[in-house]
Amino acid sequence: MQSEGGAVRIVADRPEPDGAIPAILDIRLKPGWKTYWLEPGASGIPPQVTVDPQDGISFSGMRFPAPKAFDDGIASYTGYDQSVAFPLSLKREKAGDVTLKASVFLGICKDICIPVQADLSLPLPAGLAENPLDKARIADAVSALPEEPSDTFKVTAASFDPAGKRMRISLLLPPTNETTPPELFLAGPPGYNFGKAENLTTANGQVTADIPVRIPAKGGALKSGSVLLVARIGGRSMQTPLAFD
């Protein structure tokens, strides 16, 4: 599907023996255009994908590479300024030929933001031949995802103060020659928004930062595990749900 700012398509390879379908939402941006992350900011549009399960394919989510932070002097937002691919978690639920029918909604912006709505259809016959180029594109998208927490790159403490509307996070950082502090990106339940990291302190390879939290007027309490953190420093990124007091 073509739009003014780029092209949107789904790329899928033949299903695995367990039914999993390797696939990506592939967004090809024209120079100067951007699209958004899971938590885009106050004025952005997060990418959304829905799949009709009646067609024999289930969909359980979409994964994102680490984004960038942008500020155009009027608003700040989080996303990507180059072509990007989001791995899709798809599974074939019945034998034989199936067709992936997906509805995609996202924002692509330059001077203005253009909502993009696309209904995409991709046949996946039982005897689908492997496509080396598509397989490589999907593998590249998966390899670009943030890594899991490790002994050298992880959250060591997290707490949330609902009265002060702030979250405090401590991170153990991997060895690096990077002199700038890590970038922190947070996404939570609908209505919650997270500001830029403040009061960054560094000691013994750990960084502690305060994150302002905008709490919706109506909505449930912010529960432990309901906030996703992506931390990036240098060429590495790490993703984890936050367990906090």
Side-chain angles (χ1 to χ4, degrees):
M1 185 266 182
Q2 296 286 334
S3 75
E4 183 179 349
V8 179
R9 64 173 182 159
I10 287 178
V11 177
D13 198 17
R14 65 182 181 184
E16 303 287 352
D18 64 355
I21 302 172
I24 55 173
L25 177 64
D26 191 33
I27 304 173
R28 299 285 172 156
L29 295 172
K30 294 180 181 178
W33 290 79
K34 301 177 181 68
T35 193
Y36 296 102
W37 184 56
L38 172 66
E39 174 55 64
S43 60
I45 302 173
Q48 302 167 47
V49 173
T50 56
V51 173
D52 188 345
Q54 294 183 355
D55 295 309
I57 296 175
S58 62
F59 172 60
S60 57
M62 182 164 49
R63 293 179 290 168
F64 301 82
K68 295 180 180 180
F70 300 96
D71 191 329
D72 60 11
I74 300 175
S76 58
Y77 49 96
T78 306
Y80 312 90
D81 60 354
Q82 295 181 343
S83 296
V84 64
F86 305 137
L88 305 174
S89 297
L90 300 167
K91 187 173 183 179
R92 183 168 67 178
E93 299 292 352
K94 66 179 183 181
D97 298 347
V98 293
T99 298
L100 172 60
K101 295 179 181 177
S103 177
V104 177
F105 182 68
L106 52 85
I108 296 179
C109 66
K110 191 176 184 182
D111 299 322
I112 59 172
C113 187
I114 300 174
V116 175
Q117 172 75 54
D119 292 319
L120 305 176
S121 180
L122 184 64
L124 295 172
L128 180 67
E130 184 178 90
N131 184 319
L133 291 178
D134 288 347
K135 190 177 184 70
R137 290 188 182 98
I138 296 167
D140 287 345
V142 172
S143 67
L145 294 173
E147 61 192 72
E148 296 293 322
S150 66
D151 290 342
T152 60
F153 198 3
K154 63 182 179 179
V155 174
T156 55
S159 62
F160 174 53
D161 175 11
K165 299 181 180 180
R166 301 182 78 78
M167 183 173 291
R168 171 159 287 192
I169 301 169
S170 294
L171 283 166
L172 177 64
L173 300 178
T176 177
N177 293 325
E178 188 69 42
T179 57
T180 58
E183 295 178 275
L184 305 179
F185 305 97
L186 286 83
Y192 283 88
N193 297 109
F194 302 89
K196 295 181 180 179
E198 301 174 349
N199 304 324
L200 271 78
T201 59
T202 303
N204 300 321
Q206 292 203 66
V207 167
T208 298
D210 292 330
I211 310 293
V213 181
R214 180 183 176 186
I215 300 175
K218 296 181 179 180
L222 195 62
K223 297 180 180 180
S224 178
S226 66
V227 177
L228 181 72
L229 167 74
V230 173
R232 176 164 60 187
I233 185 164
R236 293 181 64 178
S237 60
M238 180 273 294
Q239 175 177 300
T240 184
L242 286 177
F244 50 80
D245 302 328

